[in-house]
Amino acid sequence: MTERRARSRRTVIEREAELATVDEALDRLTAAAPHAGGALLAFSGPAGLGKTTLLAELRRRADTRHCTVLAARGGEQEQGQPFHVARQLLQPLLAAVPEDALRAVLGGWYAIIGPALGLCAPEQGAPPDPQGLRDGLDWVLTHLVVQRAPVVLALDDAHWADPESLGWLAAFAPRAEHLPMLLAVAYRPDELPAPAEAFRTLPGRAGQRPLHLAPLTPEAVTALIRETLGDHAEDPFCREVWTLTTGNPFETVELAAKVREKALAPVEGNAPLLRDLAAAQHGSGLVARLQRLGPSTVRFAWACAVLGTAIPRDLAARVAATGAEEAVDATGRLRDARILAAAEEPDAGLEFVHPLIATALYRSIPDALRVALHGNAAAAAVDAGLGPAAAARHLLETHPEGDPWVVRTLREAAAENLRAGAPEAARRQLARALREPPDFDERAAVLYELGCASLLTEPATTVHHLREALAEPFDDPALRQGIAIRLAQVLAHSDHLFEASELLAREIPRTQHPRARLRLQSEQFMWDAFNAAEPDAPARSRRLAKLADRLGGRDLTERYVIGLRAWDACLRGEPVDVALHHAGRALAEPFSWAYADRGFEVPVLTAMVHLYADRPGRAEELFDTGTAEFEEQGWRGAHLSFAHSLRGYIRYRRGRLVEAEDLARAGLRLAERVGPRTPVHWYAIAILVTTLLARGKPDEAWELAREHDFTRPFPAAVVFPDAQTVYAELLLARGDAKAAAAELEAVDRRLTPRGIQNPAWCPWPLHLARAVAADDPGRARGLAAEAVRRARAFGAPSGIGQALTAAAEVADPQDRGPLLREAVSLLSASPAGYELARALAAAGTHARDPDLLTRAVTTARECGADALAARTAQTLLGLGGAVPSGSSWQDDPTEEELRAARRAVHEDAAGAVPAPDRTPAPELSAAYRKLGTDRPGLPAALAAHTRTRPRTRA
């Protein structure tokens, strides 16, 4: 039954239970009581059982309660049109707002969701990722609900909704119960596609599954027939109607209309005639009925069936190749025949009486003619100014003919959809363009675009397309470079770093232009830097150093190479001043983290150099900038997961463990949406496990590792912190020293040949020393001593202090005191709060010094290292000391701490050299931690603090 007919009728027969559920949900939604809230409703059932009628009645009742109603309907012919349903829901409200006001309301979301909703053209540059786009749609819908509450959102024929809209709404649906909105969907359960599987669990009412509509009983059919034909309809006649329609409300109403149209008396004697009337409603009977309306009307009806829903009559006329007057006449005849619905509004598009009719007519079109009509529709859509995306859905249904216009239109549509955040739609269009096929010299470009469109959804397919593109004979060097870089990127992100490097190595010699060759070299250096199993890392480091040292940083590629040189120096443990010097050269001019044709890896590595060089404050500034760019760009999948996780790691290194855990969990939530055992997943788990161990939660860390399969095989890509080392630390925390030692020895075999020997980056020697101390104390002391030597060579106070603390743990008792005192002194002059708390606890316990233990308890509490604070407090009580009552820690430095920092800067400027074993005053030590720097970095950190927080608290 159509919504139009449902509105004209006073009653909805035999749906009292469903309407009671509707009223209950609307009453709750519109109640003023504190328990008022949203709800989810789902109506399921085969075609014709009245789902549309129920949704129409729901909308009518919502309107009488002054609700804002958002409505959309999936269409069989529009399933391949991305965001078709989302546009129906949101565009009417948003398109009425002037552009300036809309930009102000949507803020940063405008450029992300605007193209998807048809509010603005896509901007040039990198598109949003699908998750970022869904987050934007979530925000917009939530904002509208809050502003226009109460809201009813009704989605009919959800089984035919486009995948992009369907995936978004299915994920958003659970939020409805926490908002002043009622979300109602109707679908055919046997046709529900994968993106909408969540709708199967939507409740028909609290705690129940969707409401499955049953066919009408004989009594209900009788009531329906008598409402249409009169009370004199005889029971046997009505019973025959029920038999023929099997209680289907749509077929019952249509059959009753045919009886009235034929002036057939509803008496028992005429019951045998009903069978022929029923047969004329669908299938061959419907086609025969249509044929009687004349050739031009048939062609017009077929054109409407090809176009789908909300059909502009002039567009249907162009597709059917009929004149305007013929179209008007055909529309009238189709409405009289109950094929097209009567117009509710003068400017409304044409609609079929029921989707069953549209489907039957579409399938009745001869194959060759159907293909031709789709071709006509594509051309008509472009001529009408609807754009290539509107034409593309029709071109997907045509046969390949080698037409350059088809290839061009599909490529334009794919580019539009890709920039709008619909890569799967772009992939379908480009795959069809490839089958056309494109001209000989255009094939490589189409393959390249197809690979780019498949990047997020089908990495293996992307590799195949890009390899094919690279094998094509073409003369465009810029295109060849783009293909090679993109192919290396997808190989690297699929954990095939060696293949990525080999590919670039083959391309570099054949590249004639020096700047293009340098760009490829920079890409190869980058993926080699992430390859944990790189076969000849020392030679690569020498080549990188030689190249970077002669570059002046005049363009982005040069600065990328210099940034990679800084990271290589950090990994290899060159003096910290060298690493920071190159990082400063790379950052002489800011570079974006969100370039369309480059990854964000080099900006990340440059920021991480500052972290390991005891400048975490500067690292956090860089990450804040990068994270803001990701969010502005709509990159809320892997990119944002990396950003949250690594910001959590920075907080961990600064000793702010509670914040670190929160950020790592946020990164993990995003990583889970990307997929298991992906690089982002390894980062999030490694950082969260590390943080949980520091907080004293080994059991929780172990359960997390088991839940997420955090074990062998470990990724080929370098992860911060190193995943295998973190796993070994977890084994140590559980008391399995032997298994931990085996893992750490494997880390040694993997990293040492590459020349990676900076324990500030990967402290595997320190953990291995602890693991073997009980069985081989001599080896443990040797490992720790070598780690101290390497840490001193790098020169970051936190790295040296951490190594000294570990060395003291495995040293002879008489040698521990000096090691711990130096560790406390160095860590007090560093930003590493957690490592300072550990060193203070170890030094206080060894010396039985209540003052040191008191400092340790206070510092551990400030860090959120709960277990360390509790253990140290017990030791302090055992010595008769008083446990401090709390912590007065503030994130911003106090005026006293800032004065201490400024004095230190003044002393350094005057040439005063502090004694190497002198422990900084508590105020200066706190300033290092709060400003996120060591002593040489104090001037820059103070300047940055002044810029961002001109007024400090006393």
Side-chain angles (χ1 to χ4, degrees):
M1 215 181 316
T2 66
E3 180 179 320
R4 175 183 61 82
R5 287 187 61 79
R7 286 179 179 173
S8 67
R9 288 187 44 221
R10 286 185 158 187
T11 58
V12 181
I13 294 178
E14 214 165 58
R15 295 291 183 247
E16 291 80 9
E18 290 83 357
L19 290 175
T21 302
V22 166
D23 284 334
E24 179 184 341
L26 289 173
D27 288 344
R28 177 187 172 110
L29 179 67
T30 57
H35 65 274
L40 302 166
L41 288 178
F43 303 107
S44 74
L49 283 190
K51 301 181 295 297
T52 296
T53 301
L54 277 171
L55 281 189
E57 183 63 17
L58 183 153
R59 291 170 59 186
R60 187 191 67 78
R61 297 185 183 197
D63 189 61
T64 62
R65 288 172 166 83
H66 307 291
C67 297
T68 300
V69 179
L70 309 178
R73 186 174 189 172
E76 187 174 18
Q77 301 305 316
E78 291 89 351
Q79 291 179 80
Q81 190 171 340
F83 306 110
H84 176 67
V85 162
R87 289 187 180 195
Q88 290 180 69
L89 290 171
L90 302 176
Q91 197 180 65
L93 290 179
L94 298 177
V97 181
E99 183 180 355
D100 290 347
L102 190 60
R103 284 181 178 273
V105 170
L106 299 183
W109 291 116
Y110 179 82
I112 295 171
I113 66 156
L117 296 179
L119 301 173
C120 64
E123 296 179 358
Q124 293 297 323
D129 62 38
Q131 186 56 56
L133 187 55
R134 284 193 291 270
D135 288 347
L137 293 172
D138 284 353
W139 185 91
V140 170
L141 181 53
T142 303
H143 178 79
L144 287 174
V145 170
V146 171
Q147 293 294 316
R148 297 172 177 263
V151 169
V152 170
L153 187 156
L155 172 59
D156 198 5
D157 289 335
H159 50 280
W160 282 338
D162 61 277
E164 290 80 7
S165 298
L166 209 49
W168 161 55
L169 284 172
F172 181 88
R175 299 189 186 187
E177 293 187 299
H178 307 288
L179 291 169
M181 74 176 298
L182 169 61
L183 191 156
V185 298
Y187 60 86
R188 301 178 191 174
D190 293 341
E191 300 181 40
L192 200 63
E197 279 299 311
F199 286 137
R200 294 190 191 276
T201 60
L202 288 182
R205 64 181 73 192
Q208 293 185 5
R209 292 299 178 94
L211 295 169
H212 186 79
L213 303 188
L216 298 181
T217 63
E219 293 75 19
V221 168
T222 297
L224 200 54
I225 290 296
R226 287 173 176 164
E227 181 182 286
T228 306
L229 301 179
D231 293 339
H232 62 286
E234 295 180 357
D235 287 343
F237 184 91
C238 295
R239 187 78 181 188
E240 182 65 12
V241 171
W242 177 81
T243 301
L244 292 172
T245 63
T246 64
N248 186 293
F250 164 72
E251 294 191 7
T252 300
V253 170
E254 290 301 304
L255 185 53
K258 294 292 181 297
V259 169
R260 185 169 55 186
E261 179 183 316
K262 297 292 185 182
L264 190 68
V267 296
E268 182 177 3
N270 287 333
L273 303 177
L274 289 171
R275 187 170 299 276
D276 289 339
L277 288 178
Q281 291 181 203
H282 42 70
S284 59
L286 174 64
V287 173
R289 180 157 56 97
L290 176 63
Q291 296 286 353
R292 290 194 292 270
L293 300 180
S296 63
T297 302
V298 170
R299 192 175 180 88
F300 186 82
W302 283 344
C304 290
V306 163
L307 289 170
T309 59
I311 308 151
R313 184 164 56 199
D314 58 344
L315 188 62
R318 290 173 68 101
V319 174
T322 60
E325 289 186 9
E326 283 183 290
V328 172
D329 290 343
T331 301
R333 286 191 287 271
L334 290 168
R335 283 174 173 163
D336 291 342
R338 297 185 52 74
I339 292 173
L340 288 182
E344 291 186 15
E345 299 175 5
D347 297 329
L350 304 178
E351 294 279 0
F352 285 95
V353 165
H354 195 278
L356 283 171
I357 294 176
T359 298
L361 287 185
Y362 183 79
R363 293 174 181 173
S364 74
I365 306 173
D367 291 346
L369 181 56
R370 184 169 60 247
V371 170
L373 288 173
H374 276 296
N376 290 351
V382 172
D383 291 344
L386 301 180
R393 75 177 180 91
H394 296 290
L395 293 176
L396 292 177
E397 305 299 329
T398 61
H399 295 321
E401 295 181 348
D403 187 341
W405 179 83
V406 171
V407 174
R408 183 172 66 253
T409 303
L410 287 167
R411 289 180 67 186
E412 290 172 356
E416 185 178 315
N417 281 324
L418 193 60
R419 290 197 302 272
E424 183 58 24
R427 185 198 63 76
R428 292 193 300 270
Q429 290 153 359
L430 289 165
R432 171 63 184 81
L434 200 61
R435 294 194 303 271
E436 186 61 18
D439 289 340
F440 182 76
D441 58 354
E442 194 178 6
R443 180 176 167 81
V446 175
L447 283 164
Y448 172 56
E449 292 164 9
L450 181 54
C452 293
S454 305
L455 181 62
L456 292 175
T457 55
E458 300 180 10
T461 303
T462 297
V463 170
H464 172 72
H465 292 318
L466 294 177
R467 286 195 192 281
E468 272 196 279
L470 211 55
E472 289 289 318
F474 61 95
D475 298 326
D476 186 346
L479 176 60
R480 186 170 192 90
Q481 175 180 299
I483 295 169
I485 289 172
R486 181 68 78 179
L487 178 54
Q489 180 185 13
V490 70
L491 285 169
H493 288 172
S494 302
D495 215 23
H496 297 289
L497 289 126
F498 180 77
E499 291 180 56
S501 179
E502 286 291 294
L503 163 73
L504 293 164
R506 290 193 300 271
E507 288 296 316
I508 289 168
R510 64 184 299 167
T511 304
Q512 300 300 316
H513 195 281
R515 304 309 295 178
R517 191 162 54 248
L518 181 64
R519 171 70 194 278
L520 292 175
Q521 287 177 308
S522 73
E523 294 288 326
Q524 185 186 21
F525 280 131
M526 179 174 70
W527 298 126
D528 284 343
F530 278 98
N531 186 1
E534 185 187 3
D536 193 14
R540 187 262 305 164
S541 292
R542 290 191 295 271
R543 292 195 306 272
L544 176 59
K546 184 177 179 180
L547 175 62
D549 289 348
R550 72 168 190 260
L551 296 178
R554 62 176 174 162
D555 64 11
L556 190 61
T557 298
E558 290 193 2
R559 293 200 298 279
Y560 266 51
V561 173
I562 294 167
L564 289 166
R565 168 71 176 103
W567 175 247
D568 191 65
C570 180
L571 283 187
R572 295 173 62 79
E574 295 183 44
V576 68
D577 290 344
V578 173
L580 286 172
H581 166 69
H582 291 299
R585 292 176 63 211
L587 292 171
E589 294 183 29
F591 46 58
S592 171
W593 291 43
Y595 288 118
D597 61 341
R598 295 181 186 263
F600 61 96
E601 290 82 3
V602 173
V604 166
L605 294 178
T606 308
M608 297 304 286
V609 168
H610 289 83
L611 172 66
Y612 294 114
D614 275 352
R615 309 288 170 86
R618 175 60 174 149
E620 196 152 358
E621 286 179 22
L622 295 170
F623 265 92
D624 287 345
T625 300
T627 303
E629 282 193 87
F630 292 160
E631 292 179 330
E632 181 179 349
Q633 198 73 28
W635 294 354
R636 303 178 70 86
H639 294 80
L640 199 58
S641 174
F642 271 123
H644 284 324
S645 297
L646 286 172
R647 286 172 66 211
Y649 189 49
I650 294 171
R651 296 291 175 94
Y652 162 80
R653 300 275 300 198
R654 295 184 73 169
R656 295 161 69 170
L657 303 181
V658 176
E659 298 166 20
E661 182 179 342
D662 289 343
L663 284 166
R665 290 192 185 279
L668 178 58
R669 285 193 294 272
L670 291 169
E672 287 174 330
R673 301 194 294 194
V674 176
R677 298 186 75 82
T678 54
V680 288
H681 200 248
W682 284 106
Y683 272 81
I685 295 297
I687 291 167
L688 184 51
V689 167
T690 298
T691 305
L692 290 172
L693 291 176
R695 298 206 67 194
K697 303 176 180 180
D699 292 340
E700 188 175 339
W702 180 252
E703 286 304 313
L704 179 78
R706 284 165 54 89
E707 177 186 351
H708 292 275
D709 198 22
F710 184 72
T711 183
R712 289 175 177 269
F714 294 101
V718 172
V719 177
F720 330 134
D722 180 71
Q724 192 170 15
T725 302
V726 172
Y727 181 67
E729 187 181 2
L730 181 56
L731 292 172
L732 263 180
R734 291 180 57 81
D736 195 346
K738 185 176 180 180
E743 296 291 348
L744 293 163
E745 285 163 349
V747 176
D748 179 16
R749 292 191 296 271
R750 177 164 50 86
L751 298 184
T752 301
R754 292 191 64 202
I756 297 177
Q757 51 185 352
N758 186 355
W761 176 72
C762 182
W764 67 263
L766 306 179
H767 298 313
L768 183 55
R770 293 168 54 211
V772 303
D775 296 330
D776 193 347
R779 184 188 178 200
R781 288 193 290 272
L783 286 164
E786 177 61 15
V788 170
R789 185 192 69 76
R790 292 179 181 179
R792 291 190 191 280
F794 183 57
S798 65
I800 304 171
Q802 181 185 17
L804 288 167
T805 304
E809 186 177 343
V810 300
D812 290 330
Q814 66 273 15
D815 297 330
R816 291 176 185 163
L819 294 171
L820 290 170
R821 284 194 294 273
E822 185 183 1
V824 169
S825 177
L826 286 167
L827 290 165
S828 295
S830 85
Y834 171 61
E835 294 299 334
L836 174 60
R838 292 182 63 236
L840 285 166
T845 300
H846 174 75
R848 300 177 63 79
D849 185 335
D851 291 338
L852 286 175
L853 290 170
T854 300
R855 280 187 61 197
V857 172
T858 300
T859 306
R861 285 177 176 171
E862 291 170 351
C863 293
D866 301 331
L868 176 62
R871 289 196 307 271
T872 308
Q874 287 299 114
T875 304
L876 180 58
L877 287 172
L879 294 175
V883 177
S885 58
S887 169
S888 59
W889 178 263
Q890 299 173 352
D891 288 339
D892 286 342
T894 64
E895 274 300 329
E896 189 175 6
E897 291 160 356
L898 287 172
R899 282 195 294 270
R902 294 188 188 108
R903 280 196 301 272
V905 170
H906 180 74
E907 290 170 1
D908 292 347
V913 180
D917 58 347
R918 174 185 165 193
T919 300
E923 296 79 13
L924 182 55
S925 180
Y928 290 135
R929 300 200 299 281
K930 293 179 180 182
L931 293 172
T933 186
D934 60 358
R935 185 159 185 140
L938 271 179
L942 283 169
H945 180 268
T946 301
R947 286 195 305 271
T948 57
R949 296 181 180 86
R951 296 181 182 178
T952 57
R953 292 194 298 258

